[in-house]
Amino acid sequence: MRISIIGSGYVGLSGGVGLVSKGHDVTLVDIDEEKVEKINSGEPPIYEEGMEKMLNEALENNKLKATTDTEKAIKDTEVTFIAVGTPSDADGKIDLTAVKAASRDVGKSLKENDSYHVISVKSTVVPETVEDEIIPILEKYSNKKAGSDFSVCMTPEFLREGVALDDFLNPDRIVIGELDERSGNKLEEVYKDFDAPIVRTSIKAAEIIKYASNSLLATKITFANEIGNICKKLDVDVYDVMDAVGLDHRINRDFLNAGCGYGGSCFPKDVKALINKSKELGHEPELLKNVDGSNERQKTKIVELAEEKIGKLDGKHVGILGLSFKPGTDDIRESPAINVIQELLQKNCTVHAHDPKAMENMKELFPEVNYYEDPHDVLQNSEVCKILTDWDNYNNLNKNHLSHTKVFEGKRVLDEDVNREGLCW
Ligand code: UDX
């Protein structure tokens, strides 16, 4: 099928390259000309395992192209995914600027389009957004009626950064929220070669399925952190506890790794957005509010732990290993490292840092931090060091260097024989 995707970030690009591998022809649309040029020259604008190879294969076989021209992309395709970003404002409310602009462009392009077209929203939007905000814009600018001349679906995306392509191609389920049966059937055709159950439902249900999934995962992590904080007081290793708890098939072991809290572009934003929407609907979401607040506090708990064990950190040389919000990515959005560095700088510490991928991004936020290509230099220069991302290669650090400084782990990565103090273990 000929498919266009508006927005070529993590979701758009991984989806585009993934759909090509399932035999579809894909046009990626982005307003950023530089991004479009990069994609067309085979250079992915984001770091993702396997992306460069698959992108280049797709380009060589003429199965994928990127453009800034929405109108032509719509004309040349049958289904269009909207996959632009939905950042959140200070109150956690999602910012629909990009979604509305994309909907306007798509609407205008539909006006001149004679064939039946399905628009499917992949951007994460709170319940009621597609029906109350997006469809009216599409109808206004196309001068057509949704459900007859064109139709609209909502197909949330559950991929994780770092394994985006693999997640896109091997999902646990595909959710299709449909305005009508015809559009749902069309979307089902897009996904016909995916080996996953397809859930067909209403648009509103599809919207909240995405938030419910991410909020539950965030809650699971926060629960593990809470138990981890209790275990620390008891001198019990929370990982042993969760290994046993996770054997209960009703619970399972995934997302019970305690540590310095969750970050990234989804969990923090989605939990906050659901809190906001819930309040708007007249329900005070106590559990979610606690998850959000507890995660914020967990991020800097490692500073408290270090001070409890070795005294005030003020003015000390402190090392940070790991800056990205998780391994396998250069993304630092909502990373615990940001909160920890902020707190250390307030204490007039000299901060030395390393990350295999995210140093350039962190330099933009904190130019005053000393960055090193070799993590051993961080250990060498620090009186105390904190590991904040569970990059595998930190487990290969030279043991002599590790014994040079007191190491605190916010994410568990080192072997048990190394002299380290875990946040919850
Ligand atoms: C998440 C969801 O998993 C994905 O389905 C959704 O589409 C987008 O948001 P992502 O943000 O890429 O994906 O990362 P994920 O691997 O889920 O990790 C999120 C955060 O939780 C990271 O900071 C990670 O370190 C933390 N985490 C995860 C834990 O602290 N403990 C765990 O057990 C698991």
Side-chain angles (χ1 to χ4, degrees):
M1 196 183 290
R2 288 167 297 123
I3 297 167
S4 45
I5 303 178
I6 318 287
S8 39
Y10 277 101
V11 172
L13 189 59
S14 311
V17 169
L19 287 171
V20 167
S21 78
K22 295 287 183 189
H24 299 297
D25 290 277
V26 173
T27 307
L28 288 170
V29 185
D30 207 287
I31 47 169
D32 183 341
E33 279 181 33
E34 204 184 317
K35 226 185 216 181
V36 165
E37 268 171 40
K38 269 192 168 175
I39 294 170
N40 283 330
S41 63
E43 205 187 314
I46 48 159
Y47 173 78
E48 267 302 324
E49 190 77 44
M51 176 70 82
E52 193 163 350
K53 185 168 172 276
M54 277 178 77
L55 172 63
N56 279 285
E57 277 168 16
L59 290 166
E60 275 158 32
N61 296 328
N62 279 327
K63 297 287 281 179
L64 182 139
K65 59 176 179 290
T67 176
T68 53
D69 187 346
T70 310
E71 199 176 327
K72 182 153 175 12
I74 300 281
K75 202 166 254 155
D76 290 347
T77 57
E78 299 155 65
V79 169
T80 299
F81 288 103
I82 295 183
V84 296
T86 47
S88 49
D89 66 16
D91 304 331
K93 203 170 174 194
I94 55 166
D95 175 355
L96 290 175
T97 311
V99 170
K100 286 182 176 171
S103 307
R104 239 181 350 255
D105 288 349
V106 172
K108 282 182 197 159
S109 312
L110 285 175
K111 197 173 188 170
E112 309 304 327
N113 204 37
D114 296 330
S115 54
Y116 177 73
H117 203 97
V118 180
I119 318 297
S120 189
V121 180
K122 257 199 184 300
S123 304
T124 301
V125 290
V126 293
E128 301 185 318
T129 305
V130 172
E131 278 153 314
D132 292 356
E133 312 259 6
I134 299 178
I135 291 180
I137 295 176
L138 290 169
E139 288 183 330
K140 178 176 167 197
Y141 286 90
S142 65
N143 210 12
K144 291 180 174 174
K145 185 93 191 97
S148 49
D149 309 312
F150 71 95
S151 200
V152 179
C153 288
M154 162 83 205
T155 41
E157 188 49 66
F158 301 96
L159 56 80
R160 290 163 300 167
E161 282 183 32
V163 282
L165 273 167
D166 195 45
D167 273 0
F168 181 82
L169 291 170
N170 303 296
D172 289 330
R173 76 307 209 181
I174 288 154
V175 176
I176 301 175
E178 61 199 48
L179 188 64
D180 48 36
E181 201 183 347
R182 186 178 175 195
S183 58
N185 290 345
K186 191 86 182 162
L187 258 298
E188 201 164 333
E189 236 182 275
V190 171
Y191 289 107
K192 72 177 177 10
D193 289 330
F194 284 69
D195 183 18
I198 293 184
V199 178
R200 287 181 62 168
T201 185
S202 69
I203 288 180
K204 244 191 270 186
E207 288 169 321
I208 199 162
I209 285 169
K210 169 73 192 237
Y211 282 96
S213 300
N214 276 358
S215 299
L216 179 56
L217 292 170
T219 305
K220 249 189 128 175
I221 298 168
T222 307
F223 176 82
N225 292 341
E226 179 105 294
I227 299 295
N229 295 338
I230 300 170
C231 284
K232 185 72 187 172
K233 301 267 181 215
L234 294 169
D235 204 17
V236 169
D237 185 336
V238 67
Y239 279 69
D240 294 342
V241 173
M242 289 310 164
D243 286 348
V245 170
L247 285 174
D248 186 326
H249 72 277
R250 296 167 303 174
I251 297 175
N252 96 45
R253 178 63 181 83
D254 293 344
F255 281 70
L256 288 175
N257 292 324
C260 56
Y262 60 78
S265 65
C266 293
F267 288 170
K269 172 174 86 87
D270 292 354
V271 171
K272 286 188 175 73
L274 188 55
I275 291 172
N276 199 284
K277 181 68 194 178
S278 173
K279 285 181 176 173
E280 236 176 74
L281 292 168
H283 171 73
E284 211 47 45
E286 298 300 345
L287 173 66
L288 296 177
K289 284 186 337 197
N290 276 313
V291 167
D292 185 46
S294 169
N295 189 62
E296 269 320 285
R297 287 189 294 280
Q298 193 73 14
K299 286 179 174 179
T300 50
K301 234 180 162 23
I302 195 157
V303 178
E304 266 170 55
L305 175 69
E307 296 203 317
E308 195 185 303
K309 298 287 172 185
I310 61 164
K312 287 279 169 216
L313 293 181
D314 299 68
K316 284 200 161 46
H317 285 259
V318 183
I320 306 280
L321 295 180
L323 301 170
S324 57
F325 82 95
K326 67 172 193 178
T329 176
D330 63 355
D331 196 338
I332 59 165
R333 283 177 287 179
E334 304 279 341
S335 174
I338 296 176
N339 305 54
V340 171
I341 293 174
Q342 246 159 7
E343 192 154 327
L344 293 174
L345 292 175
Q346 269 163 16
K347 289 177 177 289
N348 288 321
C349 297
T350 306
V351 180
H352 306 280
H354 169 270
D355 188 281
K357 296 251 179 274
M359 289 198 287
E360 287 309 312
N361 287 339
M362 201 56 100
K363 262 181 211 168
E364 285 179 26
L365 270 189
F366 296 111
E368 62 273 62
V369 166
N370 303 307
Y371 297 90
Y372 302 85
E373 289 303 323
D374 184 342
H376 294 102
D377 292 337
V378 171
L379 294 169
Q380 202 68 41
N381 284 301
S382 312
E383 294 158 78
V384 43
C385 183
K386 299 170 202 306
I387 299 184
L388 300 180
T389 317
D390 37 348
W391 286 102
D392 273 349
N393 55 334
Y394 290 151
N395 197 25
N396 301 324
L397 290 170
N398 183 306
K399 301 244 160 57
N400 289 334
H401 283 75
L402 279 168
S403 60
H404 168 86
T405 172
K406 180 80 190 158
V407 179
F408 292 90
E409 271 185 311
K411 290 280 162 81
R412 183 153 162 151
V413 59
L414 297 175
D415 280 343
E416 298 200 0
D417 61 339
V418 175
N419 184 20
R420 49 96 164 109
E421 177 89 38
L423 185 58
C424 310
W425 49 95

